[in-house]
Amino acid sequence: MNHTITRLKCWSLTAGLLFVLGVQTTDALAKTPWNSLSPKQQELLEPMRNDWNNMTPAQQERWLHVGKKYENEAPERQNIMRERVSTWRELTPQEKAAARENYKALREKQQGEKNSSWNSYQTLRPEEREGYQERSRGRGR
């Protein structure tokens, strides 16, 4: 009996915490009005201006993240980013889904290559590692 009461208290506490976290998450992902974007973000995201208010808060948040990166890029890189946003805007939903899948696969492949390189490095004898580290330091200069 006492075990059941304890379990119920734990469940109600967990449910309450999940509710509070859910409310905070929803508040954190509230929609961002277009006019609150910085001039640089508006410059980058101009092709999406008409769709901005129809985006979910999560979609807006992803684009705002891209916009923050954009602000600190060199002008040449900013041009490339603007072209890519325009291209993205013109893709169909199916093309966007395919692009996301390709990106995900590429990231997983890159991570696998990093893991493989790290595992190979781990198998080196200490003197081989030291030589590799010295060569790497020489390239960084």
Side-chain angles (χ1 to χ4, degrees):
M1 178 78 171
N2 222 2
H3 183 64
T4 304
I5 292 172
T6 303
R7 188 178 290 170
L8 285 172
K9 286 180 182 178
C10 285
W11 278 107
S12 65
L13 179 61
T14 301
L17 286 172
L18 288 174
F19 174 76
V20 168
L21 290 173
V23 169
Q24 288 177 345
T25 301
T26 302
D27 289 345
L29 289 178
K31 287 200 174 196
T32 304
W34 178 261
N35 60 3
S36 71
L37 274 61
S38 73
K40 284 285 192 181
Q41 289 173 324
Q42 288 181 5
E43 176 182 295
L44 172 68
L45 301 174
E46 181 60 35
M48 300 183 173
R49 183 182 193 142
N50 293 335
D51 299 327
W52 186 256
N53 291 331
N54 297 324
M55 290 183 189
T56 66
Q59 290 171 319
Q60 287 182 350
E61 196 63 31
R62 283 192 297 269
W63 284 112
L64 289 171
H65 179 72
V66 173
K68 286 177 185 167
K69 284 181 169 180
Y70 174 82
E71 291 177 332
N72 299 316
E73 294 290 344
E76 302 81 32
R77 179 77 179 127
Q78 288 180 343
N79 289 336
I80 293 168
M81 291 177 77
R82 279 194 308 274
E83 288 173 17
R84 289 186 179 164
V85 169
S86 291
T87 301
W88 181 262
R89 170 72 176 79
E90 295 169 7
L91 296 177
T92 67
Q94 294 82 7
E95 291 169 328
K96 288 177 183 177
R100 285 185 192 104
E101 286 301 315
N102 288 340
Y103 177 78
K104 182 179 173 186
L106 178 63
R107 295 291 293 189
E108 289 171 358
K109 180 182 177 198
Q110 289 172 340
Q111 186 59 48
E113 290 171 356
K114 284 181 187 176
N115 291 342
S116 177
S117 295
W118 178 249
N119 291 338
S120 295
Y121 176 78
Q122 293 296 310
T123 63
L124 295 175
R125 294 188 314 266
E127 58 272 8
E128 291 174 318
R129 285 187 196 179
E130 190 174 306
Y132 180 76
Q133 291 171 353
E134 285 181 20
R135 285 190 303 276
S136 294
R137 280 192 287 266
R139 278 185 259 158
R141 292 179 189 188

